[in-house]
Amino acid sequence: MTSEAGTLRRLAVPVFLPSAVFGIGQGAAIPVVALQARDLGASVGGAGLVVAMLGLGMVLGDLPAGRIVARIGERSAVLLGSAVGAVGTALCLLSWTPVVLGIGVGMYGVASAVWALARQAYIIEAVPVALRARALSTMAGLNRLGTLIGPFLGAGVVYLLGPRGGFLVELVAVVVAGALMAGMPAVGSDRGGARAAQTMRSVLVTHRRVLRTLGVNALIMGASRASRTAVLPLWADHIGLDPTTTSLLFGVGAAVDVALSYPAGRWMDLRGRRVVAVGSLVAFAAAHVALPLTGSVLTLGAVAVLMGVANGLSNGLIMTLGADAAPEDGRAEFLGAFRLCHDAGSLAGPLVLAAVAAVATLGAGSLALAAISALGAAGMARWVPRRPRPDSDERRVRRLGSDERAVRRNPGRS
């Protein structure tokens, strides 16, 4: 336990804290993107397109992010991502047309992809396999905590400056997070031991079986996770709840989500990845089945909590599965491809919901997502190993401090 705490504590300032700061900025800005687009003259549809640029930027940035990290290392990659994110956020802050705003939002999405992959690659290098899921889940959970806090911290600035105030908070957060990440102690490729960069085509071809199986299930997980942010408020509106009540229900679910982050990582490390992956998607399926049966604040609140449990269990899961499956050669490129699977699902989930709801009903859309989640649970049960494979890099992991010898003498103590 002492070794575990010491290892994770050493990541607090260079990795975990920037993740929370980044989440605060994102949480402050996301609610005002559509409002700013409307203020600039965009139609409702146009505002929706501007909002979608964030996800599109992440999808477009995933594969290049893998190449960038492989070529210049984790620390240089986060600094590059910080620069791109700062420029994108500044464009949002100073935007004079919806097009400029959309470009800024897209650049921020690309930067988010670079940041996320660089931090993931850094943790893989800096933390032994026995603590991997805990470290990645902690990072993901703190980011979500920041996203939860961000709207409240940004509310005062938005009150004074209008929608642009949210982007001002985000710009400050980008700069602060970048400065904190610049202090990451060098490990792996940043210490001059970089592996030869692989071509993206060779990585995709060599590992096509993993991407066709585990990658497809990561896509389903992304769809299940993203769709909840659309289906829950839409159903609340459908049964006549006011926006304030809807926000409170969503907040309760988000609190459960954040609270489960570290326990989920610990369960993955101690009990294996499969049980958490399957449990998360089963919970998503159950929540989507139950949603059309709700008709009151109490019953919808129960579903919101169940969705929070499902999402909390999945905190750090996709990053952990990608890290476990990643090869030693071409690791960063593989991680970029694996993240692309998940992020593509995040884009597809709300689209599936909208398509089914358009031709049938919102309840039918929720049931369709339940079926997809159940299919993903079966896939996770089939393709996720009970335990991660032994990591050859464990012999050369650069531990951040004097606890290296303790962990290697007692690999089971965590």
Side-chain angles (χ1 to χ4, degrees):
M1 182 64 70
T2 300
S3 173
E4 169 194 331
T7 300
L8 297 183
R9 191 181 302 117
R10 295 178 189 280
L11 296 174
V13 173
V15 179
F16 296 151
L17 181 57
S19 184
V21 172
F22 174 72
I24 289 172
Q26 194 172 44
I30 285 178
V32 302
V33 172
L35 299 177
Q36 177 68 5
R38 292 288 286 158
D39 281 356
L40 293 173
S43 64
V44 173
L49 182 60
V50 171
V51 172
M53 289 297 294
L54 178 64
L56 181 60
M58 293 182 67
V59 168
L60 295 178
D62 281 328
L63 293 182
R67 296 290 291 166
I68 289 169
V69 172
R71 288 186 176 276
I72 67 176
E74 295 88 0
R75 184 164 52 182
S76 297
V78 296
L79 294 178
L80 176 61
S82 298
V84 174
V87 172
T89 305
L91 282 177
C92 294
L93 179 62
L94 303 173
S95 57
W96 54 94
T97 69
V99 173
V100 174
L101 178 63
I103 292 172
V105 172
M107 289 180 66
Y108 187 82
V110 172
S112 298
V114 176
W115 276 324
L117 194 138
R119 291 196 304 257
Q120 179 187 10
Y122 183 84
I123 286 179
I124 294 172
E125 293 282 352
V127 175
V129 173
L131 299 178
R132 177 180 288 169
R134 269 165 281 193
L136 291 170
S137 294
T138 298
M139 183 177 70
L142 286 173
N143 180 261
R144 293 189 188 182
L145 177 61
T147 304
L148 183 63
I149 295 173
F152 299 101
L153 294 182
V157 184
V158 172
Y159 177 78
L160 294 174
L161 302 179
R164 293 182 191 271
F167 299 121
L168 180 60
V169 174
E170 185 177 54
L171 180 58
V172 172
V174 168
V175 173
V176 172
L180 290 170
M181 288 188 289
M184 293 193 309
V187 295
S189 58
D190 281 331
R191 286 187 172 175
R195 307 180 181 98
Q198 305 291 305
T199 65
M200 186 58 67
R201 176 180 174 82
S202 68
V203 170
L204 294 177
V205 170
T206 302
H207 304 286
R208 60 187 180 277
R209 183 174 180 273
V210 175
L211 295 173
R212 281 201 309 257
T213 54
L214 202 56
V216 169
N217 288 293
L219 185 150
I220 291 175
M221 178 66 78
S224 299
R225 294 165 73 173
S227 61
R228 87 189 196 288
T229 63
V231 72
L232 190 65
L234 287 174
W235 190 260
D237 178 72
H238 175 72
I239 63 176
L241 299 185
D242 61 85
T244 301
T245 302
T246 301
S247 296
L248 289 174
L249 292 179
F250 205 90
V252 169
V256 173
D257 174 354
V258 171
L260 280 175
S261 297
Y262 183 80
R266 187 169 180 80
W267 293 333
M268 279 190 274
D269 280 334
L270 299 180
R271 303 297 181 187
R273 287 41 163 157
R274 184 187 296 178
V275 63
V276 175
V278 173
S280 174
L281 282 167
V282 167
F284 271 124
H288 282 108
V289 167
L291 185 72
L293 305 177
T294 63
S296 67
V297 173
L298 184 61
T299 54
L300 186 59
V303 170
V305 169
L306 183 56
M307 286 187 173
V309 170
N311 210 46
L313 288 174
S314 70
N315 272 339
L317 172 66
I318 298 303
M319 289 190 291
T320 302
L321 293 179
D324 291 343
E328 183 174 348
D329 294 324
R331 171 179 283 169
E333 294 89 343
F334 175 87
L335 291 176
F338 197 77
R339 288 190 65 88
L340 176 61
C341 294
H342 175 267
D343 290 345
S346 297
L347 272 180
L351 294 178
V352 170
L353 175 68
V356 176
V359 299
T361 65
L362 181 59
S366 184
L367 292 176
L369 289 167
I372 292 172
S373 299
L375 182 64
M380 290 292 192
R382 171 65 179 85
W383 299 111
V384 176
R386 291 187 181 276
R387 296 285 178 183
R389 60 175 171 74
D391 193 342
S392 61
D393 288 346
E394 189 73 9
R395 296 189 299 270
R396 57 146 192 85
V397 165
R398 288 354 187 230
R399 298 302 313 283
L400 304 181
S402 60
D403 56 340
E404 176 181 10
R405 291 187 297 276
V407 171
R408 292 187 176 181
R409 285 197 302 267
N410 304 285
R413 282 188 66 189
S414 53

